[in-house]
């Protein structure tokens, strides 16, 4: 069961199940554009990295984040 879970670094986690879930993408080695859902926990640099989010998001990715991150997400060009 844990073979579906990848810890990239720190709290950056990928879960491959029925959907691909990404939590706080950070320090990703390459672009894969595979996330169905990206969950962002807060706006510290190692949890909210627009560069790494861009490596895993695609046109249909759903973002889940606290309302307090709305401005940071907008400034980074991330759909809300």
């Amino acid at each position: 069961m844990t073979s579906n879970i990848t810890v990239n670094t720190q709290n950056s986690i990928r879960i491959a199940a029925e959907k691909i879930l990404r939590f706080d993408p950070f320090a990703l080695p390459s672009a894969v554009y595979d996330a169905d859902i990206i969950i962002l926990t807060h706006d510290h640099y190692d949890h909210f990295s627009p560069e790494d989010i861009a490596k895993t998001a695609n046109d249909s990715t759903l973002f889940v984040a606290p309302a307090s991150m709305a401005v940071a997400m907008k400034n980074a060009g991330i759909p809300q």
Side-chain angles (χ1 to χ4, degrees), residues 5-16:
I5 300 171
T6 304
V7 178
N8 299 312
T9 186
Q10 193 163 336
N11 293 322
S12 179
I13 298 170
R14 178 183 184 269
I15 299 176

Side-chain angles (χ1 to χ4, degrees), residues 10-76:
Q10 193 163 336
N11 293 322
S12 179
I13 298 170
R14 178 183 184 269
I15 299 176
E18 192 172 311
K19 301 276 187 181
I20 302 294
L21 307 174
R22 293 269 187 174
F23 295 81
D24 296 335
F26 182 66
L28 301 176
S30 60
V32 292
Y33 313 112
D34 67 347
D36 293 302
I37 301 170
I38 295 177
I39 300 163
L40 303 168
T41 58
H42 59 287
D43 64 357
H44 292 162
Y45 78 94
D46 55 345
H47 294 266
F48 178 64
S49 170
E51 297 82 16
D52 291 295
I53 291 167
K55 289 180 182 178
T56 190
N58 59 59
D59 291 340
S60 62
T61 299
L62 173 69
F63 291 88
V64 178
S68 61
M69 291 187 62
V71 171
M73 290 176 68
K74 182 179 178 182
N75 290 342

